[in-house]
Amino acid sequence: MKNKNFDFIAPYYDFLSKLIFGKRLRIAQTSLLSKIPRHQRILLVGGGTGWILPELLQICEPSEIVYVEKSAEMISLSKKQVSTNSPIVWVCGGEEQFQEYGSFDIVFTPFFLDLFPEPWLDKHIISPLVSVLKPSGFWLLVDFFPTSHLFFTFLTKIMYTFFRMVSGVTNAELADYPKLLSQNKLTLTHSVEWMNGYVKAQVWQKGD
């Protein structure tokens, strides 16, 4: 899918996030880090400005993080968050790179799945990610979820319109992630939510 990257918005991304949501999106992304095993190999997809990397390194003590991000500007900002000897492999690319770096104990997708319409998401994002997740591995999902709440429905439309204008995002509707993950034989183990369920952090586990 020809989604453009976030180079243009990268310098302002964290500011806009805090302006609209305060600290809630950051809290969501760190809330379940303690629930995933330490010393594991992690695939982090769409890590944005990388503010979460120090938290991830401190709490999870990963053996390696493969950081996949389409935006070169986001990667540049992320590198400033950590020391040069951190166990991070930087990959400037998208879904076409998922299967090029072996298998992983943990897949982490913070506010990434919302970029894609459901049919594409299932075939080109979730299925390839499940294929590189080891048996009994964990998927940490943090994202916006569909809701019937009128304000958050309106906010979703505003955000998609904005990101379509500045970053070329073509999606316009949040997918049913639990349905797609369940269909790919993952089981929900932990879930917390904010803003009437509009934002959720979940841990899913792959079968043996």
Side-chain angles (χ1 to χ4, degrees), residues 46-91:
T49 63
W51 68 266
I52 199 170
L53 288 172
E55 300 276 351
L56 196 58
L57 290 167
Q58 179 180 1
I59 296 172
C60 300
E61 301 180 39
S63 59
E64 183 179 66
I65 298 172
V66 175
Y67 183 100
V68 179
E69 168 62 58
K70 273 191 173 183
S71 168
E73 290 297 323
M74 289 290 197
I75 289 182
S76 178
L77 292 170
S78 297
K79 288 181 177 180
K80 297 176 182 178
Q81 303 281 353
V82 294
S83 63
T84 56
N85 61 351
S86 297
I88 301 174
V89 177
W90 305 99
V91 181

Side-chain angles (χ1 to χ4, degrees), residues 3-198:
N3 273 327
K4 296 179 182 178
N5 62 46
F6 282 57
D7 281 345
F8 176 78
I9 198 67
Y12 319 104
Y13 188 84
D14 285 345
F15 170 76
L16 291 172
S17 174
K18 291 178 184 178
L19 183 66
I20 298 171
F21 296 103
K23 296 181 179 180
R24 284 173 289 188
L25 299 192
R26 291 200 172 197
I27 291 171
Q29 290 175 74
T30 58
S31 63
L32 294 180
L33 291 182
S34 62
K35 301 298 183 182
I36 60 178
R38 295 163 63 193
H39 311 301
Q40 305 293 295
R41 190 165 189 254
I42 299 175
L43 174 60
L44 173 56
V45 185
T49 63
W51 68 266
I52 199 170
L53 288 172
E55 300 276 351
L56 196 58
L57 290 167
Q58 179 180 1
I59 296 172
C60 300
E61 301 180 39
S63 59
E64 183 179 66
I65 298 172
V66 175
Y67 183 100
V68 179
E69 168 62 58
K70 273 191 173 183
S71 168
E73 290 297 323
M74 289 290 197
I75 289 182
S76 178
L77 292 170
S78 297
K79 288 181 177 180
K80 297 176 182 178
Q81 303 281 353
V82 294
S83 63
T84 56
N85 61 351
S86 297
I88 301 174
V89 177
W90 305 99
V91 181
C92 188
E95 56 271 17
E96 64 277 3
Q97 264 78 43
F98 291 163
Q99 295 171 312
E100 295 182 9
Y101 291 87
S103 58
F104 297 87
D105 306 289
I106 311 291
V107 168
F108 184 14
T109 54
F111 297 100
F112 175 72
L113 300 188
D114 56 48
L115 297 175
F116 305 95
E118 192 162 306
W120 178 276
L121 183 64
D122 187 27
K123 181 177 180 180
H124 297 281
I125 305 296
I126 290 180
S127 181
L129 286 175
V130 170
S131 74
V132 300
L133 184 61
K134 293 179 181 178
S136 300
F138 294 92
W139 185 322
L140 177 53
L141 163 65
V142 186
D143 222 313
F144 300 108
F145 279 64
T147 176
S148 59
H149 194 287
L150 291 178
F151 174 75
F152 294 125
T153 299
F154 175 72
L155 181 58
T156 299
K157 292 181 179 180
I158 294 297
M159 289 195 297
Y160 276 132
T161 299
F162 174 76
F163 284 112
R164 181 166 59 250
M165 293 171 59
V166 301
S167 299
V169 172
T170 56
N171 191 29
E173 187 176 24
L174 296 169
D176 187 346
Y177 318 124
K179 179 189 73 174
L180 298 178
L181 292 173
S182 296
Q183 288 175 352
N184 281 273
K185 311 303 181 184
L186 275 73
T187 302
L188 180 65
T189 63
H190 298 86
S191 183
V192 290
E193 63 181 53
W194 298 262
M195 294 177 279
N196 298 105
Y198 183 50

